[in-house]
Amino acid sequence: MAFIVPQTVRAQSDALGSWDVANFVYTPNSKWSFFFETQTRSQKLTKDFYYHEFKGGIGYSFPKKISLLVGMGDYKTYFPEGNFAPPLSAKEFRLWEQLVLNNNIDRLKIEHRYRIEQRWINGDFRNRFRYRLNPVLPINHSSVISNTFYLTAFDEVF
């Protein structure tokens, strides 16, 4: 015997939320780079912030369109209502190593990003491998230089 009980479930709020990102990149020369990024996310446009992350790293570029990066980040997720009010839903610390390979097919630049992550989520250790494909097609120049309009899309497999 089975009973069926109708139930309404909502996965997300229908309010307009936000995903705010700030990036800082410093490249003292053609080989070395340093970056810092912060993100916040909210269920409503200016309140109910439930997620923030801070991450940074050091990168090194080789002459033949290859770059390496090491990074680390702190990621915290709170319950949706409350503007970062305790308790935490998830607390994560991440270290990662990344290899980026770039190649061109005529005007189309194709970036392949390989990343290995070491993650500590609520104290539990996990590894993760990521691959991202990111083609970039310049519109008004033959390559991406200053003041270039371009089309891009990416997809990532975890």
Side-chain angles (χ1 to χ4, degrees), residues 3 6-7 11 26 38 41 43 48 72-73 95 99 105 112 118 126 128 131-132 157:
F3 293 98
Q7 186 175 359
Y26 174 62
T38 183
R41 298 177 194 166
Q43 292 290 358
D48 290 344
M72 65 183 211
L95 296 172
L99 169 68
I105 302 172
H112 304 271
Q118 299 79 48
R126 299 178 185 170
R128 179 165 69 181
Y131 168 73
R132 184 180 76 186
V157 177

Side-chain angles (χ1 to χ4, degrees), residues 26-34 58-64 66-69:
Y26 174 62
T27 52
N29 56 51
S30 63
K31 294 186 183 223
W32 292 98
S33 64
F34 303 88
I58 300 171
Y60 185 83
S61 295
F62 294 90
K64 297 285 184 179
I66 298 171
S67 63
L68 297 174
L69 184 133

Side-chain angles (χ1 to χ4, degrees), residues 57-111:
I58 300 171
Y60 185 83
S61 295
F62 294 90
K64 297 285 184 179
K65 302 180 181 185
I66 298 171
S67 63
L68 297 174
L69 184 133
V70 293
M72 65 183 211
D74 182 61
Y75 309 77
K76 291 192 172 66
T77 305
Y78 298 80
F79 290 95
E81 298 82 24
N83 293 320
F84 307 126
L88 283 170
S89 170
K91 179 176 147 180
E92 179 178 354
F93 178 76
R94 235 181 255 177
L95 296 172
W96 70 88
E97 302 80 36
Q98 174 176 297
L99 169 68
V100 176
L101 304 174
N102 292 300
N103 60 328
N104 291 69
I105 302 172
D106 199 25
R107 296 168 53 111
L108 181 67
K109 175 186 171 188
I110 302 173
E111 178 191 85

Side-chain angles (χ1 to χ4, degrees), residues 36-51:
F36 175 77
E37 181 178 306
T38 183
Q39 292 186 23
T40 61
R41 298 177 194 166
S42 70
Q43 292 290 358
K44 296 186 178 156
L45 193 56
T46 59
K47 65 179 187 172
D48 290 344
F49 287 91
Y50 68 92
Y51 175 87

